[in-house]
Amino acid sequence: MNDIRFALRQLAKAPGFAVIAVLTLALCIGANSAIFSVIHAILLKPYPWPGSDRLAYVYNTYPKMGLPNAGDSIPDYLDRRGITGVADSALYTRVSLNLTGDAEPEMITGMRATPSLFSTLQSAAALGRVFNEDDAKPDAPATVVLSHALWKNRFASDPSIVGRAVRLNDRPVTVVGVMAEDFYFPSPRTQAWVPFAFTPAQRGDNERGTEYSQMIVRLKPGASMEGVQLELDLVQARNAERLPGSRDFWKTSGFDGRIAGFLEQNVQNVRGMLWLIQAGVAAALLIGCANVAGLLLARAVGREKELAIRTALGASRLRVVRMLLTESLVLFLAGGLLGLFVAIWSIDALQGVGLSTLPRGFGVRLDPSVFGFTLACAAAAGMVFGAMPAWSASRDNPSASLKEAGGRGSAGRRTQRLRAALVVAEIALAVMLVATAGLLIKSFDRLQRVDPGFVPAGMITAQVALPPARYDSPERIVAFHDAVVARLGSTSGILSAGATDSLPFSGLDSSGSYSSPDIVLPPGAPEPHAMIRSADPGYLRALRLTLLQGRWFGDTDTAATQPVVVVDRVLVDRYWKGQDPIGKRIQRGNGGKLAVVVGVVAKVKFRTLEESSDKEAIYFPLSQLPQPMLMFVARAQGDPAALAASVREAVRAVDPNQPVFDVRTMAQRMDDAAQPRRAPVILLSVFGGLAAILAMLGVYGVLAYSVAQRTSEFGVRMALGASRSDIAALVLKAGLLLVSLGIAAGLAGYLALSRLVQTLLYATPSTDPAMLASASVALGLVALGACLLPALRATRVEPLAALRQD
Amino acid sequence: MPQPLLKLDNVTKVFLTDEVETHALSGIHLQIEKGEYVAIAGPSGCGKSTLLSILGLLDTPTDGTYVLNERPVQGLTPAERARIRNREIGFIFQSFNLIGDLTVYENVELPLTYRGMPSSDRKQRVEEALEKVGMGHRAKHVPSQLSGGQQQRVAVARALAGQPAVLLADEPTGNLDSKNGDAVMELLQSLHRTGSTILMVTHDTRFARHADRTVHLFDGRVVEESVESKE
Ligand SMILES: Nc1ncnc2c1ncn2[C@@H]1O[C@H](COP(=O)(O)OP(=O)(O)O)[C@@H](O)[C@H]1O
Ligand SMILES: [Mg+2]
């Protein structure tokens, strides 16, 4: 207690020191807690379903066809459900549900799932019940399970909802249950689940290859992923035996079933980036601790005499250490407390830079256990960094310190060397962070300049999902499409309008096999497989795709005329290099009508700007291959966002019961797609800047302290004829030595880690010499800037006053 | 008639601290000829160090004139004053004031470095100076490895190395025991015999007797000048 009171009094006597120390620690501890909360929420925290670490995806893979990751078909699911290592399993697929009734029609995100989903997740309903197997019989009455959020927002948490009917896709559907508030699957965006019923035909072998669903499994206790993988291989071998017709295709495409941990698979794209950021922030924490340790060291040296007197008066070394430790602990704890606020604020700020677009990035909040952990780390750092100067200060024998007639004691020199080493480390870490951040910025910038194959600016886009109950024939879909596009085309402010079933950066895209009498496959080559897209005549102009050859679709291409397709350059380069592609023939799958190639377009980036997939694409006229899921696209004369209402209006005029959703400009879509890359760039830049500031404070601290310690030396030098510039040069030289050592160490450290950084960069070498040089120069300037003030102060030393000190 | 090496005319020094005026020096007249050995004596606080600081261009008088080597020093820039300190004046301090991070050799070399002298010339001068004070064998030591008396001898060598016009010593024996003190006094005396001009502050009349002449200060004024009778 006594120690704490004394510590507080000592800190109050040096408010500048206390404020800098506490702020430094608060920033570092806060940032660490915030980032670790993100890591925890995304990478480490189990899902809300019991035993979620035993959940895994099982999916199809065609590695030799450039399709490592496909969905599962119903017969695949039925085969794999029986694997002995699998305790339970479920098949699910996304459905759009058009919720109508008393209120405004609303598009809700639903999942069609086998009833076994809930047993696989070991989750029960909060109200009513989950599905049972009877609900999934083909002729069972329609049922739905609501998410807690939908129940609360749309049905005002009405407990009598269970057993009542709601209108989904224009059919009455009975609500059988409401899930608990903390339940979600697969993401909190899912608002309702409907049963996945299989018809006898869907169970048959003909459905293999129809892979629009996902499968999850729960492993039996004791079962391993490797074991299940072996069983999957076996199932596949047996199928190949049984189905000789598919055998060749399976062989050439490398087809098999794969298992991957549920969490692992979901976060694989962000894992590296997040850990890199965590490393950056941890480095910043280290820098901060080093700074505070430096400050504590300086104080301990300043108090050498006081400590010597205490020791001379009989205080044990332990007592002296304890006294100093108490002081540093008080500092670190105050920093930790303030850091709590920094952390809460940082997480808010992170949401602003797109945290929620990361997988599992919803629901990140400051985790008390995470904060506790960080605080404990800080306290431990406080002990270590506090003990260092305390030990160092108490080690000297008191008689030496007492005899010291001013000037610098040996302890002073030793701690000064330690501080210098810390500052070198700080500069090194800052160089590493700044170089990494600079390269990420450069890479991000390069990426933003990549040509997506269309002109993103000035486009508004909107989605509709036509319910099969009302749009039960291709003619109806085409009629709806034609009416909406006609309306859009005559809306003022719209230059051109079109529609497609798979828009770039919308998440909608589909692929399938195709064949052609004009393609000669080399023996052993996989069967052709392409992205399959439907588009209308206006699509080319609305997106400003690049037509390389031939023509795009016109109004004359209808269901009744010659089937046509437009292919992309990738397909031509793959199979018809040096030939004229126009007039070649293509068919979807292995049967069906042959379509004639009428045009060639340039490749379009679909999911991200960095995607380098060399998968070919085939465009079908929407009139010949209509799809119920439609994306309307309009190119605006002015601000595309201003057209959102016109687009909704055009759809409402054609079908008032048809909800429009996902109305966004193309720029917004691409922005969202860039978020997972932008967020880390912003974060690392912030931490790089923070590290630079901390390094600057560190350099300043060391030099300012050293100038204070050397005042009388400077006085002597001046008495001997040193000019003021000689003195300034002396200080700057000491600073320059620290800075250049730090930069050299930083570059060495960076080069050691550059391979890791490389994995995060797009078309930018991680050892880009210009960037490394700029980072070094920038930090060098910042750090030398920090030397200027102490150097200036040194020149102000009055030789007489300095000499009088003794 | 040859001009004196140092000449103070009616020099006054007033310190102003917290609105309290301290008249450290009042109307000092003082002339020192080349080759003289002068002691300045007086009780603590009488202005001895202040006088020496003004003579050494570490401080400026509030009033009066100071001519050093036929050159008035008022109105010189700090850089010019630094140059004069470096070339004309050698300081010896009570607490030695060697720089702890530098070796004996480097300490002695320091004033020559500020003069921009080539290193071969410096080496010769430093070795000469160290030989003169009998510390040639300790050139590579650092000050903390030396006794107080040895440190002061190195400080004397440092003052000598630049071959200044005058050596200013402020209580050079104040931090030494009597045996080491005697040794340093003998050193100064031998320097005087080989032609050095020395101005030494002391409150010990025993040491003052080594000088040709003693100026007694009291309360910032010269109260008495006495010339030692040489036996
Ligand atoms: N920088 C200063 N500010 C104020 N007073 C000073 C300063 N330097 C010296 N003095 C005062 O001037 C007087 C003479 O001091 P000093 O020359 O150091 O005496 P001595 O060396 O003879 O002991 C003393 O009263 C001292 O307090
Ligand atoms: Mg004095």
Side-chain angles (χ1 to χ4, degrees):
Chain A
M1 254 312 96
N2 222 354
D3 276 350
I4 292 179
R5 225 180 13 242
F6 183 73
L8 288 174
R9 211 164 59 213
Q10 286 295 316
L11 291 175
K13 269 203 284 192
F17 157 77
V19 165
I20 289 187
V22 168
L23 278 185
T24 304
L25 290 168
L27 274 178
C28 297
I29 293 173
N32 252 278
S33 307
I35 294 302
F36 198 70
S37 292
V38 174
I39 297 253
H40 182 251
I42 293 181
L43 301 182
L44 304 176
K45 198 171 77 177
Y47 281 94
W49 324 299
S52 63
D53 57 322
R54 309 205 58 75
L55 292 174
Y57 282 108
V58 169
Y59 57 94
N60 286 341
T61 182
Y62 300 86
K64 294 184 191 159
M65 251 171 43
L67 194 68
N69 215 317
D72 304 71
S73 70
I74 293 169
D76 287 329
Y77 165 70
L78 295 172
D79 286 345
R80 294 167 184 171
R81 211 170 141 61
I83 283 176
T84 51
V86 169
D88 208 342
S89 63
L91 191 69
Y92 61 95
T93 185
R94 216 185 111 144
V95 285
S96 294
L97 299 170
N98 191 352
L99 178 61
T100 45
D102 315 331
E104 177 88 349
E106 188 183 349
M107 198 72 216
I108 63 174
T109 302
M111 281 294 151
R112 192 178 294 288
T114 56
S116 57
L117 176 70
F118 298 98
S119 55
T120 303
L121 297 178
Q122 298 187 346
S123 301
L127 208 63
R129 62 171 177 87
V130 294
F131 301 127
N132 56 40
E133 286 304 325
D134 288 340
D135 294 316
K137 296 229 166 95
D139 51 354
T143 49
V144 62
V145 169
L146 304 181
S147 76
H148 194 273
L150 181 65
W151 176 58
K152 191 169 133 199
N153 298 331
R154 179 82 185 200
F155 302 104
S157 304
D158 179 1
S160 69
I161 190 82
V162 173
R164 266 191 7 219
V166 296
R167 282 196 83 75
L168 283 178
N169 290 352
D170 287 312
R171 287 189 310 158
V173 177
T174 306
V175 175
V176 296
V178 176
M179 296 309 290
E181 190 165 6
D182 64 354
F183 177 86
Y184 66 82
F185 185 86
S187 90
R189 285 183 281 273
T190 306
Q191 294 164 290
W193 297 265
V194 293
F196 201 159
F198 307 148
T199 61
Q202 282 177 321
R203 296 167 177 265
D205 285 323
N206 279 341
E207 285 292 304
R208 291 186 190 275
T210 307
E211 300 164 342
Y212 56 81
S213 307
Q214 249 108 35
M215 177 175 182
I216 54 162
V217 301
R218 175 178 290 275
L219 297 187
K220 275 185 190 153
S224 72
M225 306 263 273
E226 294 75 21
V228 172
Q229 182 61 57
L230 285 177
E231 285 192 86
L232 284 168
D233 298 345
L234 237 129
V235 165
Q236 176 50 25
R238 251 186 263 126
N239 279 339
E241 188 86 353
R242 195 168 57 81
L243 302 165
S246 304
R247 206 179 295 156
D248 281 349
F249 168 63
W250 283 342
K251 193 161 177 190
T252 53
S253 61
F255 174 75
D256 197 4
R258 275 283 145 74
I259 184 164
F262 190 74
L263 175 61
E264 213 171 277
Q265 185 78 1
N266 285 340
V267 300
Q268 62 176 359
N269 290 329
V270 293
R271 186 194 303 269
M273 191 59 102
L274 284 177
W275 282 117
L276 180 79
I277 292 173
Q278 177 66 74
V281 177
L285 178 65
L286 271 182
I287 289 179
C289 288
N291 267 337
V292 174
L295 290 171
L296 286 168
L297 279 174
R299 272 169 61 79
V301 170
R303 286 162 66 184
E304 218 164 60
K305 214 157 196 171
E306 174 206 324
L307 299 179
I309 293 168
R310 282 172 181 271
T311 314
L313 292 179
S316 70
R317 189 168 168 193
L318 198 68
R319 258 208 71 96
V320 170
V321 169
R322 205 176 69 194
M323 184 188 86
L324 290 170
L325 264 186
T326 309
E327 202 175 304
S328 63
L329 268 180
V330 165
L331 278 181
F332 275 75
L333 287 176
L337 230 53
L338 197 61
L340 180 64
F341 295 101
V342 174
I344 292 170
W345 176 84
S346 304
I347 290 175
D348 267 4
L350 288 180
Q351 304 281 13
V353 299
L355 179 61
S356 55
T357 63
L358 299 182
R360 303 187 87 202
F362 47 85
V364 175
R365 59 187 75 78
L366 182 64
D367 197 297
S369 58
V370 166
F371 181 74
F373 172 75
T374 313
L375 200 60
C377 286
M383 297 286 275
V384 172
F385 284 111
M388 214 158 41
W391 200 250
S392 167
S394 68
R395 186 166 52 181
D396 259 13
N397 75 42
S399 69
S401 280
L402 284 174
K403 259 203 317 229
E404 209 75 69
R408 284 192 293 164
S410 54
R413 263 195 303 282
R414 200 167 49 233
T415 51
Q416 185 69 359
R417 264 204 300 277
L418 188 55
R419 287 195 74 185
L422 287 175
V423 167
V424 167
E426 285 173 15
I427 298 172
L429 285 170
V431 167
M432 293 167 72
L433 279 174
V434 168
T436 307
L439 283 166
L440 281 175
I441 289 174
K442 190 165 179 174
S443 140
F444 187 73
D445 183 58
R446 287 224 167 132
L447 198 54
Q448 292 309 296
R449 290 161 195 268
V450 166
D451 177 13
F454 61 94
V455 179
M459 271 165 67
I460 182 88
T461 63
Q463 193 177 350
V464 294
L466 302 175
R470 277 189 296 130
Y471 291 90
D472 51 1
S473 71
E475 291 75 24
R476 287 210 170 145
I477 295 176
V478 170
F480 170 83
H481 160 268
D482 291 352
V484 173
V485 168
R487 280 196 168 267
L488 288 175
S490 60
T491 304
S492 73
I494 292 182
L495 294 172
S496 55
T500 179
D501 71 328
S502 42
L503 186 74
F505 298 94
S506 70
L508 293 179
D509 205 6
S510 53
S511 65
S513 302
Y514 68 97
S515 57
S516 165
D518 300 320
I519 290 176
V520 186
L521 283 179
E527 194 175 314
H529 191 267
M531 303 316 297
I532 304 285
R533 295 162 189 162
S534 293
D536 70 354
Y539 184 70
L540 178 90
R541 278 223 295 150
L543 263 85
R544 300 211 174 135
L545 300 182
T546 310
L547 185 65
L548 298 170
Q549 208 181 336
R551 67 167 177 95
W552 184 250
F553 310 127
D555 290 333
T556 51
D557 297 309
T558 68
T561 60
Q562 163 68 43
V564 292
V565 291
V566 170
V567 298
D568 73 355
R569 175 69 167 278
V570 181
L571 190 148
V572 175
D573 286 349
R574 175 156 303 153
Y575 296 116
W576 297 323
K577 209 156 196 161
Q579 303 173 39
D580 182 7
I582 306 296
K584 304 266 188 205
R585 293 154 302 163
I586 277 180
Q587 65 190 354
R588 286 200 300 141
N590 283 303
K593 284 187 242 167
L594 277 176
V596 174
V597 175
V598 294
V600 180
V601 291
K603 185 180 156 50
V604 170
K605 303 260 181 185
F606 241 73
R607 261 185 297 181
T608 60
L609 286 171
E610 70 257 44
E611 74 184 9
S612 61
S613 142
D614 59 349
K615 189 142 221 60
E616 61 266 37
I618 305 174
Y619 295 85
F620 289 82
L622 201 61
S623 53
Q624 296 177 349
L625 187 59
Q627 300 288 356
M629 192 72 92
L630 282 180
M631 256 1 268
F632 288 101
V633 193
R635 181 160 292 280
Q637 209 155 22
D639 175 16
L643 289 175
S646 312
V647 174
R648 287 180 191 280
E649 187 44 46
V651 173
R652 191 172 314 142
V654 175
D655 181 350
N657 278 327
Q658 181 56 49
V660 181
F661 62 103
D662 205 16
V663 183
R664 281 189 298 161
T665 65
M666 182 55 85
Q668 283 168 336
R669 291 185 188 282
M670 296 184 70
D671 219 44
D672 285 357
Q675 277 303 13
R677 272 191 180 267
R678 179 180 302 126
V681 171
I682 293 175
L683 279 176
L684 264 179
S685 307
V686 168
F687 293 127
L690 187 69
I693 290 174
L694 291 177
M696 195 167 108
L697 280 177
V699 171
Y700 171 79
V702 165
L703 286 188
Y705 173 73
S706 136
V707 166
Q709 292 288 298
R710 291 170 75 181
T711 305
S712 74
E713 178 198 324
F714 293 153
V716 172
R717 284 175 182 268
M718 285 172 124
L720 297 178
S723 66
R724 294 188 188 273
S725 51
D726 288 330
I727 300 295
L730 208 62
V731 176
L732 287 178
K733 227 162 73 188
L736 197 65
L737 182 68
L738 287 181
V739 172
S740 39
L741 279 177
I743 289 176
L747 286 178
Y750 175 82
L751 290 176
L753 294 174
S754 63
R755 277 235 222 105
L756 197 92
V757 177
Q758 188 64 66
T759 61
L760 308 170
L761 297 177
Y762 172 81
T764 310
S766 64
T767 51
D768 178 23
M771 183 55 75
L772 295 184
S774 329
S776 309
V777 169
L779 264 155
L781 289 179
V782 163
L784 280 181
C787 303
L788 285 182
L789 204 60
L792 202 66
R793 194 173 301 153
T795 66
R796 300 247 169 84
V797 165
E798 278 304 326
L800 200 56
L803 290 172
R804 203 178 281 282
Q805 277 188 344
D806 50 37
Chain B
M1 183 185 156
Q3 286 289 316
L5 182 63
L6 304 173
K7 186 162 184 287
L8 293 184
D9 259 319
N10 201 21
V11 161
T12 300
K13 181 71 186 178
V14 182
F15 289 108
L16 194 68
T17 36
D18 299 329
E19 301 184 4
V20 177
E21 281 189 4
T22 310
H23 290 259
L25 297 174
S26 314
I28 303 281
H29 294 275
L30 184 67
Q31 290 191 6
I32 294 175
E33 307 295 335
K34 204 164 165 357
E36 260 195 307
Y37 185 173
V38 178
I40 298 173
S44 181
C46 70
K48 306 181 296 288
S49 291
T50 305
L51 179 60
L52 212 64
S53 300
I54 289 175
L55 289 172
L57 295 189
L58 288 173
D59 207 349
T60 48
T62 312
D63 209 351
T65 58
Y66 173 22
V67 177
L68 170 63
N69 236 346
E70 304 185 18
R71 184 177 177 188
V73 297
Q74 287 104 307
L76 293 181
T77 64
E80 286 166 331
R81 292 166 66 85
R83 210 181 106 85
I84 294 175
R85 279 202 298 273
N86 179 249
R87 288 172 180 267
E88 313 276 9
I89 291 159
F91 282 103
I92 300 160
F93 305 98
Q94 176 176 351
S95 52
F96 330 138
N97 276 333
L98 297 179
I99 293 172
D101 289 338
L102 302 182
T103 62
V104 163
Y105 182 94
E106 289 164 337
N107 265 289
V108 176
E109 193 185 21
L110 208 52
L112 305 178
T113 318
Y114 291 129
R115 211 177 272 193
M117 187 181 277
S119 86
S120 55
D121 296 0
R122 292 203 303 259
K123 185 166 189 297
Q124 196 198 336
R125 290 271 197 108
V126 171
E127 279 168 358
E128 260 176 40
L130 282 175
E131 281 313 318
K132 251 185 208 167
V133 301
M135 291 295 294
H137 59 300
R138 295 297 180 100
K140 292 215 169 65
H141 288 68
V142 289
S144 59
Q145 295 167 326
L146 303 179
S147 73
Q150 289 173 322
Q151 288 192 42
Q152 193 60 304
R153 271 150 64 193
V154 173
V156 172
R158 181 173 68 181
L160 278 177
Q163 296 175 348
V166 59
L167 286 178
L168 301 179
D170 193 348
E171 305 202 30
T173 58
N175 276 9
L176 298 175
D177 58 34
S178 62
K179 183 160 153 277
N180 276 309
D182 288 341
V184 167
M185 289 318 293
E186 262 165 46
L187 181 58
L188 289 181
Q189 225 168 347
S190 72
L191 291 174
H192 170 55
R193 279 198 291 272
T194 57
S196 293
T197 311
I198 300 175
L199 198 60
M200 176 186 71
V201 165
T202 182
H203 54 253
D204 191 329
T205 41
R206 199 160 53 86
F207 291 140
R209 270 185 306 164
H210 289 291
D212 299 335
R213 174 155 78 95
T214 304
V215 176
H216 291 272
L217 282 187
F218 189 79
D219 208 7
R221 293 167 198 280
V222 178
V223 290
E224 184 194 340
E225 292 205 32
S226 55
V227 178
E228 288 303 316
S229 51
K230 302 266 163 157
E231 284 111 68

